[in-house]
Amino acid sequence: MASKSDFAPVEWKKLVQAPLLAGFAVSAADPSGFIGLLQEAFAAARSLSDARAQSGDALVRAVAEELSSSTGRAEAREGVRTIVQGAELEEIKRRALDALKEVGLLVDAKEAEHARPFKEWLLHISRVVAEAGLEDTFLGFGGIRMSEKEKATLREISQMLHLGAEAPPPASA
């Protein structure tokens, strides 16, 4: 069973930051305004809670469990803050994608049997965040579930994590 003890402290921190960065990459790709950002944050939090309770993968559960603790959340937020601090949105997206790529390579090397489920979980969080709010609305009317920029970012995340060239189709399609 994969656990925190299977990783060096710096590696574990990167794994724990990864779910937050997966959401940040999508949010930075196409910001949705205040309400949209709240919806995206709640969607990411719900994904973490669901993983803790329902995931069949030990590494996913271990990271979700760590993020459910106040210490884990604080360390993850601090790490993410360091990565995104002082950057413009495009640079935040790029840094988040680079960090996700590094995490993907790390789990491939260290926890091969848990690598794919963990990386698919990160892509799932990205998708949930992308689908959380309506894009391109006018006074709250109309809109689409996912913008082209968000779709492109999902494809980039899929590529960075070596999950294939294309992200899976949206669950709500």
Side-chain angles (χ1 to χ4, degrees), residues 108-130:
D108 282 340
K110 282 246 182 181
E111 293 291 332
E113 75 179 79
H114 298 284
R116 186 156 187 91
F118 186 79
K119 294 187 297 184
E120 286 174 346
W121 178 54
L122 296 176
L123 182 61
H124 170 74
I125 291 169
S126 300
R127 177 171 303 291
V128 167
V129 168

Side-chain angles (χ1 to χ4, degrees), residues 10-23:
V10 70
E11 293 171 334
W12 183 251
K13 285 181 180 180
K14 289 177 183 185
L15 263 66
V16 174
Q17 293 166 10
L20 302 180
L21 290 169

Side-chain angles (χ1 to χ4, degrees), residues 6-173:
D6 296 325
F7 297 90
V10 70
E11 293 171 334
W12 183 251
K13 285 181 180 180
K14 289 177 183 185
L15 263 66
V16 174
Q17 293 166 10
L20 302 180
L21 290 169
F24 264 91
V26 172
S27 293
D30 197 8
S32 302
F34 181 71
I35 298 298
L37 286 174
L38 283 176
Q39 290 170 325
E40 290 170 353
F42 285 129
R46 189 173 48 254
S47 290
L48 292 172
S49 177
D50 290 349
R52 205 175 88 211
Q54 301 169 5
S55 179
D57 183 72
L59 183 58
V60 170
R61 275 194 321 276
V63 169
E65 192 66 39
E66 182 82 10
L67 280 167
S68 73
S69 74
S70 59
T71 303
R73 275 191 312 277
E75 287 181 359
R77 281 193 303 254
E78 184 57 35
V80 169
R81 188 173 307 130
T82 301
I83 290 170
V84 302
Q85 191 170 11
E88 298 292 325
L89 287 174
E90 188 59 37
E91 182 61 20
I92 289 172
K93 176 186 158 189
R94 180 63 32 221
R95 290 177 184 180
L97 291 174
D98 289 345
L100 290 172
K101 181 178 184 177
E102 185 179 350
V103 166
L105 294 171
L106 174 64
V107 295
D108 282 340
K110 282 246 182 181
E111 293 291 332
E113 75 179 79
H114 298 284
R116 186 156 187 91
F118 186 79
K119 294 187 297 184
E120 286 174 346
W121 178 54
L122 296 176
L123 182 61
H124 170 74
I125 291 169
S126 300
R127 177 171 303 291
V128 167
V129 168
E131 293 177 337
L134 290 177
E135 307 293 332
D136 300 327
T137 64
F138 178 73
L139 299 174
F141 295 100
I144 55 175
R145 183 57 56 198
M146 190 184 310
S147 73
E148 290 304 315
K149 289 179 181 178
E150 289 170 328
K151 289 177 186 176
T153 301
L154 287 173
R155 285 190 297 275
E156 287 181 88
I157 291 169
S158 183
Q159 290 170 343
M160 291 287 185
L161 295 174
H162 298 101
L163 291 172
E166 296 293 321
S172 62

